[in-house]
Amino acid sequence: MPITRRSLIVGAGAFSATPLLAAAQGPARTFTHSVASGEPGPDSVLLWTRCVIDGGRPGEVTAEIAEQPDMTGARVVGAQITGPWRDYTVKLTADGLQPGRWYWFRFVAPDGTRSPVGRTRTLPADGVEPWRAAIFSCSNLGFGFFNAYGHAAARADLDCAIHLGDYFYEYGPDHYPEPNQLVPGRLPQPLAETIHLADYRQRFASYRADPDLQALHARLPMIAQWDDHESANDSWEGGAQNHDPATEGDWNQRRAASIQAYREWMPVSDEPWKSYDIGALATLIRTETRLLGRTQQPDLDPLFRNADPSAALRAFRDGAWQDKGATMMGWQQESWLHHALAASVRSGRRWQVVGFGTIMGQTLMPADAQTWLNGRTSSYVTEGIAAAKVGLPFNFDNWGGYPAARARFLQQVQALGGDTVLISGDSHNAWAYDLAHDGRPAAVEFAGHSVTSPGFESGTAAGPARIAADLVRTNPELKWCDTSRRGYMAMTIAPDAVRNDWIMVDTIKRRTPAATIGHRATVGRGRNRMA
C-alpha cells in the first residue's frame, strides 16, 4: 500500500465508535464543562467556566476565590454577563492575589448553583525556587484516551500546565482517524469537519467533556497557544492545506471563527503572544506561529515533477528556500520577541524559555529510511531522502521551511548572551536538540511527543530503536529521539539547570494513568547545550 506523509503518522485499529459529548446532570447541567484557569501572574490569574442558564437566556455569573480547598473565607472577585454571543463561556481575571501561592475558585450561577471547585497557582514575584510545568501537544481524541492529562493532573509536584497546540483536530469523522482506526467512544462532535463558528464551538465542547482534560484544567493553571489544527491543517496567514475556498468558503472567515471559539473556550487572554516572568528565575514566552504572520510553507512536490529533480532541488535550496521575507511569526512579533528576550537577560533572570508550535531543530531524512517500510513505498520518504542529499529537511511546515527566520532568531539569542531553552510540539514524536548557528551553540530544544496523535511507529515496520539511531546519526543537532510512544513532557526550571523528562504513558487504547519516564535531559546554565 502506498504511504503518504499523512499515513506515515497514522495508527491502525479496528473499532466502532459513538460520539463523545457529556450528558450533564445536577450542577453540570448549568456548569457544563467544569472550570479552568490560566494566564498566571504574580498577583492575578484568569478564571474560566461555561454556564448555561435554563432556557439559554443571558445571565450574570459570579466568581469566588479562596485560600482553602473547602472555600472557607471565599471572596467574590468579579462577575460577568454571559449568553449565546460568547457560547455561555465566562472569563474573569482575579486580581489582588499573593505571589507563588495556591488558590481555589468556583463560580456561582444566577440561581445559586455552584460550579465544581478548581485549583490554581500564581507565579512567584521574586526568588529562584524551582518551577515545574507539564507540557502537552497534539491531542487527537479519536486515537485514544487522554492518559497524559490524567497522569499530570494526579501529580503533586507541578506548578503549571503548558499547551503548545493541536488541542483538538478539525477533521470530520472519516479522516484522521479513519473509522476503522477510531477507539470506541472517542468520536468527537460535530460529525463533520469544523469550518464555521458553531462547528468549532461544538468541537471544543466535545473535547472538554473528556474527564482527564477536565481534571487537568481544574488542577493547574494553563498557558496555552494554538497551532494549526485548532483552525485547519498546515495553516498560514492566507490559507491552509486543509481548506478549499471553492467548497469551504473564505479563509479569513474560517480563521476568524477558529480564533473566536479558541478565545471563548480556552483560559487565555486575547493577546496573541505574551511573556511570563517566573520570579527572578526565568521568563517563559508563548508565541503565535500560524495564523497572524506566517508566510506560506514551501511546496517541494512540483520540483519532483521536473525533468531533473536534483537540479531543481539545488536551485530551490540556493534560491527560494533562503527568502528573507519568509517568516513564521511576522516581523512585528519577531521584533517583540527580541525585545522580550533582551529584557529578560538584562533583568538577570537565569533562563529564557520560548514555546514554539513547531520544531526548530534541523532534521533530514536518513539515507536508508526506505528500509523502515518493509518493502512498501512512500513518496514522502523517497522525496525526503532526495531532499536530504542536497541538504534539505523533510518537513517544511516547521522551522525547516523558514531558514532565514531561524537564523535571525538564533543569531539574536547568541548575541544576547542568555540561556535559551525552546519547547515545541507538533511532530507527535519526542526529540532533544542542541541548536547551533555558525558552528556555535545557541540554544537547547526539548520537543514534545503527542498526547494521542500517532507518530512514526504507525507507518513504519522497523523497530523504534533502529529509526531513532538512523535519525540521530543523520542529524548533528539531534541528540535523542523516540518515535513510538505518547505522553507529555515535565520540565523543571532550577537556578543552575533546566531538566526535561519525557513521560511515556503505557497505552492510549484504554483509560489508565500508568506512565514512566522514558528519557531525561538537562542543560546547565551557561552551556546552551545538553549535559
Side-chain angles (χ1 to χ4, degrees):
M1 176 178 73
I3 300 174
T4 64
R5 177 181 184 273
R6 176 58 65 192
S7 67
L8 184 67
I9 56 172
V10 175
F15 305 103
S16 61
T18 55
L20 179 73
L21 199 60
Q25 298 178 353
R29 291 187 60 189
T30 302
F31 293 100
T32 60
H33 291 79
S34 192
V35 297
S37 67
E39 301 293 351
D43 60 357
S44 65
V45 68
L46 185 150
L47 310 178
W48 180 98
T49 194
R50 184 171 187 263
C51 182
V52 180
I53 302 155
D54 284 345
R57 65 184 186 277
E60 186 168 283
V61 180
T62 301
E64 299 177 338
I65 201 162
E67 297 184 25
Q68 301 297 327
D70 62 2
M71 298 300 293
T72 300
R75 64 181 178 89
V76 173
V77 294
Q80 185 175 49
I81 298 172
T82 190
W85 60 88
R86 54 181 304 119
D87 207 13
Y88 304 96
T89 58
V90 177
K91 292 200 298 188
L92 291 166
T93 297
D95 283 310
L97 308 181
Q98 296 299 309
R101 185 174 296 184
W102 289 107
Y103 286 91
W104 286 261
F105 66 96
R106 69 186 176 200
F107 293 85
V108 183
D111 64 359
T113 301
R114 292 174 174 173
S115 74
V117 174
R119 189 186 74 156
T120 191
R121 184 172 178 82
T122 53
L123 297 179
D126 51 28
V128 290
E129 292 299 313
W131 188 84
R132 298 176 178 86
I135 304 168
F136 306 93
S137 65
C138 304
S139 45
N140 188 316
L141 192 146
F143 280 111
F145 289 90
F146 291 162
N147 293 325
Y149 292 150
H151 186 272
R155 293 177 61 157
D157 63 339
L158 297 171
D159 298 296
C160 188
I162 298 171
H163 208 293
L164 295 173
D166 296 344
Y167 184 92
F168 71 57
Y169 282 68
E170 84 280 14
Y171 297 116
D174 58 346
H175 183 67
Y176 202 65
E178 295 178 1
N180 68 334
Q181 299 166 329
L182 197 67
V183 170
R186 304 294 289 177
L187 179 62
Q189 298 276 4
L191 299 180
E193 185 175 333
T194 59
I195 298 172
H196 308 291
L197 178 58
D199 304 330
Y200 285 106
R201 285 172 165 175
Q202 194 173 12
R203 187 60 54 89
F204 267 115
S206 190
Y207 269 65
R208 290 290 288 274
D210 180 86
D212 291 310
L213 181 51
Q214 286 192 5
L216 179 70
H217 275 301
R219 180 76 172 171
L220 293 169
M222 179 178 284
I223 295 172
Q225 60 193 62
W226 61 61
D227 193 38
D228 55 339
H229 289 291
E230 291 90 344
S231 55
N233 182 57
D234 287 0
S235 53
W236 58 285
E237 181 183 14
Q241 178 274 332
N242 189 32
H243 180 78
D244 180 3
T247 60
E248 296 174 331
D250 180 66
W251 166 248
N252 288 324
Q253 293 181 9
R254 183 175 185 178
R255 179 178 66 164
S258 71
I259 292 173
Q260 179 177 336
Y262 188 90
R263 289 174 173 169
E264 289 171 348
W265 276 86
M266 295 294 289
V268 297
S269 68
D270 288 349
E271 298 157 286
W273 46 80
K274 190 173 180 179
S275 64
Y276 308 80
D277 289 330
I278 306 168
L281 180 66
T283 299
L284 172 67
I285 295 174
R286 66 167 169 87
T287 62
E288 196 290 316
T289 57
R290 276 293 173 188
L291 301 180
L292 304 182
R294 179 196 275 244
T295 51
Q296 188 171 16
Q297 307 90 330
D299 180 9
L300 265 62
D301 285 347
L303 304 183
F304 289 97
R305 296 193 292 270
N306 192 283
D308 187 346
S310 295
L313 286 169
R314 290 192 298 272
F316 167 76
R317 178 199 62 195
D318 299 333
W321 189 50
Q322 304 292 338
D323 187 353
K324 291 181 172 57
T327 172
M328 288 279 279
M329 296 184 288
W331 291 96
Q332 179 185 354
Q333 188 181 180
E334 281 197 26
S335 175
W336 173 87
L337 178 57
H338 173 67
H339 285 90
L341 291 168
S344 178
V345 173
R346 285 196 306 270
S347 73
R349 289 183 171 83
R350 288 157 168 77
W351 300 96
Q352 292 73 47
V353 181
V354 183
F356 286 129
T358 60
I359 290 173
M360 184 172 284
Q362 291 181 340
T363 318
L364 278 64
M365 188 71 74
D368 55 355
Q370 194 68 49
T371 64
W372 300 348
L373 306 177
N374 195 25
R376 292 180 289 176
T377 60
S378 167
S379 60
Y380 178 62
V381 171
T382 302
E383 292 176 3
I385 293 171
K389 289 180 179 179
V390 299
L392 291 170
F394 61 81
N395 189 349
F396 290 86
D397 184 56
N398 65 18
W399 286 88
Y402 305 83
R406 180 188 193 270
R408 287 194 296 270
F409 174 80
L410 294 178
Q411 286 173 337
Q412 288 172 356
V413 298
Q414 284 179 331
L416 290 172
D419 286 87
T420 304
V421 175
L422 306 189
I423 52 176
S424 56
D426 178 68
S427 78
H428 307 178
N429 302 291
W431 318 79
Y433 296 90
D434 283 339
L435 304 180
H437 182 71
D438 285 343
R440 295 185 295 114
V444 163
E445 181 173 25
F446 301 137
H449 45 326
S450 66
V451 172
T452 60
S453 300
F456 279 26
E457 81 286 354
S458 60
T460 54
R466 154 77 191 287
I467 293 172
D470 288 349
L471 286 163
V472 170
R473 184 178 61 254
T474 302
N475 296 285
E477 290 190 340
L478 179 62
K479 304 306 175 183
W480 170 85
C481 68
D482 183 295
T483 64
S484 67
R485 293 181 286 180
R486 315 276 69 82
Y488 69 101
M489 299 192 298
M491 177 181 64
T492 301
I493 307 175
D496 296 324
V498 174
R499 187 189 78 206
N500 194 68
D501 296 339
W502 284 264
I503 309 297
M504 310 298 188
V505 298
D506 284 6
T507 183
I508 60 171
K509 299 305 181 183
R510 58 185 175 86
R511 192 182 178 205
T512 172
T516 57
I517 298 176
H519 186 70
R520 174 173 289 173
T522 302
V523 54
R525 190 158 183 259
R527 290 181 53 83
N528 287 316
R529 63 175 60 191
M530 284 171 281

